[in-house]
């Protein structure tokens, strides 16, 4: 339970976050009734942050249009014989164009939801912009930004659990530990994709990371170390390691590719 003063502070932080979100929404969309809600929620699931901020943008419902078919007696008889029940046709209600560009929820009157992994009191405007897609003014949430954030979180967790390395005496052991964890996670991520991106139960071990048991059993450490060393040598010769230059490319689908091929 919160005290009276804590409730006042919480409402102030909530109003501040809502103002941040509303500043990214066009005035005409707000005038039509677009509403923003923000609340602080707790999570007790394994791996969750204790307190996070949930944001919901509620777009107004577009006017509903109904169209009735007026059938003649002959058409009604035909409908009965063919069991064609078409007394009413209802059009899907929608605005002529989205209130926010490229955001379907704003066209059909839906809700857009996002989360910030911080309590309300710690949320900044940059956090809000990072949680909103470019459809909102200044929004920075893209597939690429999500991937980079997930990458940084994983690396930070590895450093905290194993050790971040440095000039101390156990820096070599820490480096070896981080390498082993990374190799194990590579296998688990491949299995995660193969299983339809369904995560294992918290702490589940059986059936995960089994493609290369030598990684966790240190049975092939020498070979892995040689491969890693060779990779580093190649990167050094080519001008250094460059992040994100593997097989992953962030590219929007080109709708006209098929048409161009057909025209050739």
């Amino acid at each position: 339970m919160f005290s009276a003063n804590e409730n006042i502070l919480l409402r102030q932080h909530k109003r501040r976050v809502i103002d941040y979100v509303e500043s990214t929404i066009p005035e005409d969309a707000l005038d039509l009734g677009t509403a923003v809600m923000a609340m602080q929620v707790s999570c007790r699931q394994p791996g969750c942050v204790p307190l996070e901020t949930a944001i919901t943008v509620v777009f107004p419902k577009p006017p509903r249009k109904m169209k009735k078919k007026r059938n003649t007696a002959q058409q009604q008889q035909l409908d009965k014989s063919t069991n064609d029940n078409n007394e009413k046709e209802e059009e899907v209600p929608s605005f002529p164009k989205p209130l926010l560009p490229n955001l379907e929820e704003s066209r059909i009157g839906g809700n857009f939801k996002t989360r910030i992994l911080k309590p309300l009191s710690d949320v900044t405007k940059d956090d809000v912009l990072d949680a909103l897609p470019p459809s909102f003014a200044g929004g920075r949430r893209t597939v690429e930004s999500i991937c980079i954030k997930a990458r940084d979180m994983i690396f930070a967790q590895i450093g905290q659990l194993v050790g971040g390395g440095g000039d101390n005496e156990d820096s070599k052991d820490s480096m070896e530990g981080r390498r082993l964890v990374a190799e194990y996670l590579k296998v688990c991520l491949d299995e995660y994709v193969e299983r339809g991106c369904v995560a294992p139960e918290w702490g589940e071990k059986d059936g995960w990371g089994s493609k290369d048991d030598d990684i966790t059993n240190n049975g092939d450490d020498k070979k892995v170390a040689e491969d890693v060393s060779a990779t580093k040598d190649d990167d050094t010769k080519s001008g250094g390691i460059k992040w994100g230059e593997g097989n992953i490319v962030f590219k929007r689908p080109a709708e006209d590719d098929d048409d161009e091929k057909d025209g050739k």
Side-chain angles (χ1 to χ4, degrees):
M1 297 296 291
F2 294 104
S3 66
N5 290 335
E6 288 174 333
N7 280 329
I8 292 174
L9 288 174
L10 193 62
R11 287 198 297 270
Q12 291 175 349
H13 292 310
K14 184 182 297 186
R15 182 66 258 174
R16 177 174 54 82
V17 172
I18 290 175
D19 288 342
Y20 289 156
V21 179
E22 288 182 345
S23 69
T24 68
I25 301 175
E27 287 292 335
D28 55 350
L30 294 173
D31 293 340
L32 287 172
T34 301
V36 179
M37 297 184 295
M39 61 186 304
Q40 182 172 275
V41 295
S42 60
C43 179
R44 297 183 178 180
Q45 296 291 331
C48 283
V49 295
L51 292 173
E52 59 186 33
T53 298
I55 297 173
T56 303
V57 181
V58 183
F59 293 100
K61 296 291 184 183
R64 184 177 295 272
K65 296 180 181 180
M66 299 288 294
K67 187 195 298 182
K68 283 188 177 181
K69 277 191 175 182
R70 296 183 179 180
N71 297 332
T72 63
Q74 183 179 1
Q75 288 173 331
Q76 291 177 356
Q77 185 64 31
L78 180 62
D79 291 341
K80 290 179 182 179
S81 62
T82 58
N83 294 322
D84 185 11
N85 185 13
N86 56 359
E87 294 178 355
K88 288 185 179 181
E89 284 186 353
E90 182 178 351
E91 295 181 355
V92 177
S94 62
F95 291 105
K97 62 179 182 179
L99 301 181
L100 270 66
N102 302 318
L103 192 66
E104 182 66 11
E105 292 91 339
S106 69
R107 189 180 71 86
I108 62 176
N111 298 339
F112 172 82
K113 298 180 180 181
T114 188
R115 288 176 179 264
I116 300 174
L117 304 181
K118 291 182 178 180
L120 272 168
S121 59
D122 295 343
V123 174
T124 65
K125 187 168 184 177
D126 280 335
D127 294 327
V128 171
L129 295 179
D130 288 339
L132 296 175
S135 297
F136 295 81
R140 302 191 287 246
R141 181 183 174 90
T142 61
V143 174
E144 183 177 8
S145 70
I146 294 172
C147 290
I148 293 174
K149 186 174 183 179
R151 179 202 69 186
D152 293 344
M153 292 175 65
I154 290 174
F155 288 169
Q157 286 291 314
I158 293 175
Q160 291 177 6
L161 292 172
V162 181
D167 296 332
N168 52 10
E169 295 180 356
D170 64 344
S171 61
K172 293 183 179 180
D173 293 336
S174 297
M175 183 181 297
E176 180 67 9
R178 294 196 302 275
R179 184 186 64 78
L180 290 175
V181 172
E183 291 291 340
Y184 175 75
L185 290 177
K186 283 169 59 178
V187 176
C188 288
L189 285 172
D190 287 339
E191 294 175 350
Y192 174 75
V193 173
E194 291 175 359
R195 301 181 189 192
C197 297
V198 177
E201 295 292 332
W202 185 261
E204 181 181 351
K205 179 181 177 182
D206 295 338
W208 286 87
S210 58
K211 285 187 176 181
D212 194 351
D213 292 334
D214 291 337
I215 291 175
T216 53
N217 294 330
N218 297 336
D220 200 16
D221 287 348
K222 184 176 180 181
K223 181 178 183 301
V224 174
E226 291 174 352
D227 293 341
V228 172
S229 178
T231 302
K232 289 182 178 178
D233 292 340
D234 292 341
D235 291 331
T236 302
K237 293 177 182 177
S238 61
I241 299 174
K242 297 183 180 180
W243 293 99
E245 292 197 351
N247 296 325
I248 298 177
V249 177
F250 297 101
K251 180 182 177 183
R252 291 183 177 274
E255 298 179 355
D256 299 333
D257 287 352
D258 294 337
D259 297 335
E260 294 178 0
K261 292 179 180 179
D262 295 339
K264 290 182 180 180

